[in-house]
Amino acid sequence: MMHVEPVTLEGRLVRLEPLTLAHLEPLCAVAFDERIWRWNPQPPISTPAAMQAYIELALAQQARGESVPFATIERASGQAVGSTRFANIDVANRRVEIGYTWITPRWQRTYVNTEAKYLMFRHAFETWGCIRVELKTDSLNERSRNAIRRVGATEEGILRNHMFVWDGRYRHSVYFSVIESEWPVVKKGLEEKLAGSEAQ
């Protein structure tokens, strides 16, 4: 049985802390770069009030059992560098989504995303006993699609006209997943990537 509650996921390079309003100021320090939000369905976060609303919505979803949000902390510096969460939690079917992931540009395409995904996959499969972990992204977001492929997820297909983006565009969403039988191979691949990281 999935026991869904806030939890700290500690890695060698990254720590995922339960998101709270205490993270408001640290996240504001790294979040107001429009490149972060280019592909976000909601309007870009560019003010402390918008970040506070973002956190409060995540916490409301958590209170309803729908998500478990995190602040992403780079351990060497102790700095918050982004956020991510377990979302669309389906306890009955032991299924969860990893989503709402953003990382400040300084730390994109580094070990931060790799280890954060590793920690979350490991918790989903080895603690919660999930049979499926899914991820999705805008079909136009090639960087995100490539990043998801790099962590070992399988591309499943495109949901056309899946949602509206804040500027009125129709978004097609690309779905990816890792299922329980694939986790050992994906885990090995992620551990090999992290072992080769320059950060020690």
Side-chain angles (χ1 to χ4, degrees):
M1 182 68 175
M2 292 173 62
H3 185 56
V4 178
E5 62 182 3
V7 61
T8 298
L9 302 180
E10 193 87 40
R12 179 170 63 93
L13 309 165
V14 170
R15 181 173 63 254
L16 301 180
E17 298 178 351
L19 182 67
T20 72
L21 283 170
H23 293 108
L24 175 60
E25 186 174 341
L27 289 178
C28 283
V30 298
F32 301 156
D33 185 318
E34 62 183 15
R35 292 173 293 176
I36 295 171
W37 309 105
R38 179 180 179 190
W39 301 108
N40 197 52
Q42 285 74 45
I45 294 177
S46 58
T47 66
M51 179 58 75
Q52 181 169 335
Y54 180 87
I55 294 173
E56 288 175 345
L57 178 59
L59 296 177
Q61 291 174 344
Q62 179 174 265
R64 295 193 296 267
E66 297 169 359
S67 74
V68 177
F70 299 96
T72 305
I73 310 297
E74 199 275 324
R75 289 190 60 186
S77 64
Q79 294 180 334
V81 296
S83 181
T84 189
R85 74 186 74 163
F86 289 117
N88 296 319
I89 297 170
D90 184 343
V91 173
N93 292 297
R94 303 208 321 263
R95 183 178 73 230
V96 69
E97 178 182 346
I98 295 175
Y100 296 85
T101 300
W102 61 270
I103 300 169
T104 195
R106 159 71 178 82
W107 291 102
Q108 290 176 7
R109 302 197 69 174
T110 70
Y111 58 80
V112 168
N113 183 60
T114 304
E115 187 165 59
K117 291 294 190 293
Y118 171 76
L119 294 171
M120 295 178 78
F121 278 126
R122 188 176 67 181
H123 188 76
F125 286 116
E126 299 182 11
T127 300
W128 282 347
C130 287
I131 64 170
R132 170 184 169 88
V133 176
E134 60 191 30
L135 307 95
K136 66 179 184 287
T137 192
D138 193 312
S139 64
L140 299 180
N141 190 348
E142 287 295 338
R143 175 173 285 192
S144 177
R145 292 175 73 166
N146 289 334
I148 295 170
R149 290 187 192 104
R150 280 196 301 271
V151 299
T154 297
E155 185 171 330
E156 296 179 321
I158 297 177
L159 270 64
R160 299 176 299 161
N161 287 3
H162 183 224
M163 63 179 74
F164 285 107
V165 179
W166 65 275
D167 62 2
R169 176 174 64 86
Y170 298 173
R171 167 176 145 164
H172 309 319
S173 294
V174 187
Y175 267 77
F176 297 79
S177 72
V178 177
I179 61 175
E180 61 177 342
S181 60
E182 298 166 341
W183 169 234
V185 172
V186 172
K187 179 180 182 178
K188 184 174 184 291
L190 288 170
E191 288 176 344
E192 288 172 351
K193 286 182 174 65
L194 290 167
S197 171
E198 294 179 3
Q200 300 298 323

